Amino acid sequence: MGSLKTFLLSQGYISHNMRLANKTGHIVTKASINGHQGRFIIDTGASASCINQEMYKEFQLETEFLDRQISTASGVLRPRISSGNNLELGDWSDEDFTFLSMDMTHINNALKGESMKSVQGLLGADFLIASKAVIDYKSKKIFLKI
């Protein structure tokens, strides 16, 4: 029987490195948005990908308020939305990706409490679905369909 990596690469996937945080188990990776690199949590429980609202200028996001409120782990809020962004993880890219821009202070404070570096955002289910992602925890790789 062949390996998962061999099979996925033969099916048009690319592999991208990820890191599993020792203390929290978070999946952390580097990604580029509109040509600017940052650290992101791949959040399998988040429905939408989000950018820390303090970073929207750095990532060149053009935002407008979403017309409704959303529920998050920290409560209900009305985030800003930004469409038409270029998201890249290694050789995988999506040139029309949408992000929500919201306050991520609570997330970064929790990470700081675990002696982890802050993140600039979360990549949620919208990213996982768009990339047809397969996460291989053993090899610390995420496979993305190109």
Side-chain angles (χ1 to χ4, degrees), residues 40-111:
F40 294 84
I41 290 176
I42 297 175
D43 190 342
T44 60
S47 58
S49 295
C50 305
I51 298 291
N52 188 340
Q53 70 185 10
E54 297 173 359
M55 305 298 293
Y56 81 95
K57 286 183 181 177
E58 182 175 323
F59 289 115
Q60 298 177 328
L61 302 180
E62 294 182 24
T63 64
E64 59 183 287
F65 277 106
L66 194 61
D67 60 356
R68 61 183 164 74
Q69 292 184 327
I70 63 168
S71 297
T72 69
S74 62
V76 177
L77 56 89
R78 185 172 173 221
R80 297 180 72 86
I81 189 167
S82 178
S83 301
N85 298 288
N86 186 20
L87 171 62
E88 295 178 48
L89 278 82
D91 291 332
W92 182 90
S93 68
D94 184 331
E95 295 178 359
D96 189 22
F97 202 82
T98 299
F99 287 96
L100 298 180
S101 176
M102 58 185 244
D103 182 8
M104 294 181 62
T105 303
H106 63 288
I107 293 169
N108 280 319
N109 284 343
L111 294 175

